[in-house]
Amino acid sequence: LTRRASSSSFHTSGNVNANANATAGNNLLSIPIATVPAASEKFRVQLNVAGFNPDTIKTRVEDRRVIVEGKHEERQTNGDFSVREIRKSYDLPEHADSANLASFVTPNNMLVVEVPINAPQLQRRASQTIADSQALSLFGQFRDPIFDYPGFIASADFRPRLIDIGNGQKSIKMALAVKNYQPEQIRVSVKNNQLLVQAEHNYNDNNRSERSFLTKSISLPPGTQVDQLKSFLNGEGQLEIEAPFIEPTQMRSIEVQH
């Protein structure tokens, strides 16, 4: 995976978010294609809260953001006192089930916040599916009867498109939000036409430590030339993925088992 040059700034978005900022540079950075195991989708934040009483750490959801706040006071008999406060906010990814937010402090003073990610149910009427016929026609007349073409082009995460680039050539293009992740923190893999994107960000200093994770996957349609798949990270925090597409020339037959 490479980064496309841009001067824009971008912020974290994904299964777990961390509020680190990064500015896209002018050079191209490579991210290797690898085979990695899939993981269940969940928003997770890990924050070092050493020095705070766990009872004073509060978490809440406000305007699609997780807010973490804490306050610790130390007072002496001579009237001197010290106060420590913390406030962190994290953007919730799309389809996060904020009603089921869970948080706890581990014995090693790590605050863990988790929110499940619900895969959106595609409740599309037959008329809507018919309206997609023009987009589906680009896949050719010999489409695989097993593959869910309408579900593929309706993916809200990857926003797939099949583009006719002329001279009889076609290309599948997708874009996935991966804000705040650097190219070296993102892994793109393909196995059995299943595209998997995983990212992990770690931040540590003397006062706190954070980790953020992102896992997204999508099945690619037959005819996708996965060996020629390329990915780029643009300045808006979008992972652009593209691969040539060759239209099948005959209908796939399925044997009826006795």
Side-chain angles (χ1 to χ4, degrees), residues 100-127:
N100 287 313
L101 179 145
S103 63
F104 57 91
V105 177
T106 66
N108 62 341
N109 299 312
M110 294 297 296
L111 171 68
V112 179
V113 181
E114 294 184 339
V115 180
I117 304 295
N118 294 331
Q121 299 298 320
L122 300 177
Q123 300 177 347
R124 308 199 308 159
R125 298 179 180 177
S127 59

Side-chain angles (χ1 to χ4, degrees), residues 62-237:
E62 182 178 302
D63 297 329
R64 299 296 299 170
R65 306 187 81 193
V66 172
I67 309 296
V68 178
E69 294 179 320
K71 185 175 183 179
H72 179 75
E73 296 186 10
E74 293 182 359
R75 295 184 179 272
Q76 302 178 10
T77 57
N78 62 2
D80 292 344
F81 66 91
S82 63
V83 178
R84 296 180 60 196
E85 293 185 277
I86 184 174
R87 186 185 189 278
K88 296 289 295 180
S89 62
Y90 304 90
D91 293 329
L92 280 171
E94 188 177 14
H95 310 304
D97 184 6
S98 58
N100 287 313
L101 179 145
S103 63
F104 57 91
V105 177
T106 66
N108 62 341
N109 299 312
M110 294 297 296
L111 171 68
V112 179
V113 181
E114 294 184 339
V115 180
I117 304 295
N118 294 331
Q121 299 298 320
L122 300 177
Q123 300 177 347
R124 308 199 308 159
R125 298 179 180 177
S127 59
Q128 291 175 302
T129 302
I130 295 174
D132 291 332
S133 60
Q134 183 175 1
L136 293 176
S137 66
L138 289 173
F139 290 97
Q141 60 176 323
F142 299 115
R143 296 194 291 271
D144 192 317
I146 299 299
F147 187 77
D148 181 13
Y149 291 91
F152 172 73
I153 63 176
S155 170
D157 290 325
F158 287 89
R159 292 173 289 166
R161 296 170 296 146
L162 180 57
I163 307 297
D164 190 340
I165 58 179
N167 297 323
Q169 296 181 328
K170 297 178 182 180
S171 177
I172 289 180
K173 296 182 181 292
M174 294 172 282
L176 176 68
V178 290
K179 295 179 181 178
N180 259 13
Y181 293 99
Q182 300 298 313
E184 63 273 11
Q185 298 169 336
I186 304 171
R187 302 186 71 183
V188 180
S189 62
V190 180
K191 183 177 181 180
N192 298 328
N193 267 36
Q194 186 79 10
L195 173 68
L196 176 66
V197 177
Q198 291 184 312
E200 179 176 352
H201 172 75
N202 293 282
Y203 176 82
N204 294 279
D205 62 21
N206 294 331
N207 299 317
R208 62 188 175 91
S209 62
E210 297 179 11
R211 298 179 67 193
S212 63
F213 306 87
L214 169 70
T215 301
K216 295 288 183 181
S217 65
I218 188 173
S219 296
L220 300 174
T224 304
Q225 305 303 293
V226 295
D227 58 332
Q228 301 180 50
L229 185 143
K230 298 179 181 179
S231 54
F232 309 88
L233 184 62
N234 65 28
E236 286 70 45

Side-chain angles (χ1 to χ4, degrees), residues 1-110:
L1 184 150
T2 55
R3 163 177 286 168
R4 284 180 173 166
S6 173
S7 60
S8 303
S9 298
F10 49 97
H11 310 279
T12 301
S13 175
N15 280 12
V16 180
N17 296 318
N19 275 354
N21 295 329
T23 302
N26 293 322
N27 58 331
L28 295 178
L29 301 178
S30 175
I31 292 180
I33 303 294
T35 300
V36 287
S40 60
E41 293 188 13
K42 182 179 291 185
F43 176 99
R44 180 183 296 114
V45 172
Q46 295 180 200
L47 180 63
N48 191 329
V49 292
F52 289 88
N53 185 330
D55 293 336
T56 67
I57 303 296
K58 307 298 181 183
T59 59
R60 69 179 191 276
V61 175
E62 182 178 302
D63 297 329
R64 299 296 299 170
R65 306 187 81 193
V66 172
I67 309 296
V68 178
E69 294 179 320
K71 185 175 183 179
H72 179 75
E73 296 186 10
E74 293 182 359
R75 295 184 179 272
Q76 302 178 10
T77 57
N78 62 2
D80 292 344
F81 66 91
S82 63
V83 178
R84 296 180 60 196
E85 293 185 277
I86 184 174
R87 186 185 189 278
K88 296 289 295 180
S89 62
Y90 304 90
D91 293 329
L92 280 171
E94 188 177 14
H95 310 304
D97 184 6
S98 58
N100 287 313
L101 179 145
S103 63
F104 57 91
V105 177
T106 66
N108 62 341
N109 299 312
M110 294 297 296

